[in-house]
Amino acid sequence: MHQDLALCWRVEEACKLAWPPLHAQLIDGYVLHMSEANQSRRANSINPLNGPRGCSDHFIDMVEAMFDHFGKRYCARLPEIANELDIKLASRGYQREAETLTLFADQLPPAAAGCDIYVAPGHAPKSWLDFYFSMSKDDQGQQEAFCRILNQIALPKAFGETRIEGRVAAIAYAVAVDDLVVLEAVVTDPRLRRRGLAQKTIGGLMAWAADEGCTQAALQVVAENEAATNLYAKLGFSTELYRYHYRVKDQNAKAS
């Protein structure tokens, strides 16, 4: 974990703004994210805020009652900078999932431009969404929820595509939070990997970010995704700020 906790929390809060939930409720130093048909852990979990936080069994009981109300499995997102619930949730039968890195670049990665790179500020083009859903295999309800999540982003945002022979081959989106740009949803067609398409897409978004006044960048990536972490290191995301993981449990599971 990086020693600059102020930077860690700044990036943590920016990443929340770049992938907001459809609904949020505050409870004792945490924010509960709920997003209806969307099934992602990030959009349906309890997340710590900077400051004092609840940690008692009574607090956990209250949180579980809120998940019960929404019909969602219990899910806590626990960054290293605020993971005091981890041991207690493990003792209650919560399983650990999806260790994720938070990476930081103190300078913007190289910008890129070209006839095969397209950047759309403001709203995701149909071609971007069609590609995303073709890769994610989301059902209709999940697709609608994801579109609503994108529409919830209130800060400047842009959607990047790289195309081959007119067809989308890689995508990502970026959100400008003051002078920090957050990258999200970096996806490449598996049949077209190792051709620099993600790098081109990110480069196109970095050109947009520079125009927005951004000077630094951050992203979060699953730790076991070695190909992605190698790419991001090459692009200048050389600082690991902190990791996070989830603790999850089905409602009908009994605490051990």
Side-chain angles (χ1 to χ4, degrees):
M1 183 173 68
H2 199 274
Q3 293 183 342
D4 189 343
L5 289 180
L7 175 61
C8 291
W9 278 109
R10 174 174 167 246
V11 170
E12 170 74 2
E13 292 166 2
C15 290
K16 286 188 177 76
L17 291 169
W19 192 297
L22 294 181
H23 307 286
Q25 296 187 26
L26 298 176
I27 176 171
D28 202 0
Y30 285 80
V31 58
L32 177 70
H33 290 178
M34 282 291 147
S35 297
E36 300 168 4
N38 183 273
Q39 299 300 312
S40 71
R41 284 172 289 227
R42 183 159 44 159
N44 296 280
S45 57
I46 191 163
N47 292 258
L49 300 173
N50 189 7
R53 292 175 292 272
C55 192
S56 66
D57 284 313
H58 176 65
F59 167 74
I60 297 172
D61 290 341
M62 287 195 301
V63 170
E64 290 183 348
M66 296 174 76
F67 278 102
D68 289 339
H69 173 78
F70 288 104
K72 295 283 189 178
R73 69 171 181 167
Y74 308 145
C75 184
R77 181 179 165 277
L78 301 174
E80 288 177 316
I81 53 177
N83 67 349
E84 58 274 0
L85 281 179
D86 192 48
I87 293 175
K88 187 162 286 189
L89 292 178
S91 72
R92 292 171 66 121
Y94 283 67
Q95 300 301 306
R96 181 177 177 131
E97 292 183 357
E99 183 170 358
T100 301
L101 313 179
T102 301
L103 303 179
F104 177 73
D106 60 5
Q107 298 180 354
L108 286 185
C115 61
D116 54 348
I117 302 172
Y118 299 81
V119 175
H123 298 283
K126 183 177 183 301
S127 55
W128 193 101
L129 291 170
D130 287 346
F131 179 83
Y132 180 88
F133 295 135
S134 72
M135 296 293 108
S136 68
K137 310 301 183 183
D138 289 346
D139 63 27
Q140 185 65 32
Q142 291 173 297
Q143 291 181 24
E144 292 173 358
F146 180 70
C147 289
R148 290 175 61 197
I149 286 172
L150 295 180
N151 289 334
Q152 290 276 88
I153 301 170
L155 294 171
K157 57 185 180 288
F159 298 83
E161 303 175 352
T162 297
R163 300 178 187 174
I164 293 179
E165 297 179 352
R167 300 182 63 179
V168 178
I171 63 168
Y173 77 84
V175 179
V177 185
D178 197 10
D179 63 346
L180 175 71
V181 61
V182 179
L183 278 172
E184 294 282 2
V186 181
V187 183
T188 301
D189 187 326
R191 299 165 297 181
L192 300 171
R193 287 176 180 160
R194 302 186 183 278
R195 297 177 62 172
L197 301 176
Q199 184 172 346
K200 281 186 174 183
T201 307
I202 292 169
L205 289 170
M206 290 305 102
W208 168 85
D211 289 342
E212 290 291 321
C214 296
T215 59
Q216 300 172 322
L219 56 81
Q220 295 177 322
V221 57
V222 175
E224 65 184 18
N225 189 343
E226 185 176 356
T229 55
N230 288 340
L231 168 64
Y232 298 143
K234 178 181 176 181
L235 294 177
F237 291 91
S238 56
T239 300
E240 181 182 319
L241 294 181
Y242 58 90
R243 299 185 177 208
Y244 71 82
H245 61 273
Y246 294 91
R247 286 284 182 185
V248 300
K249 187 175 79 168
D250 291 334
Q251 282 91 335
N252 59 0
K254 301 296 182 182
S256 58

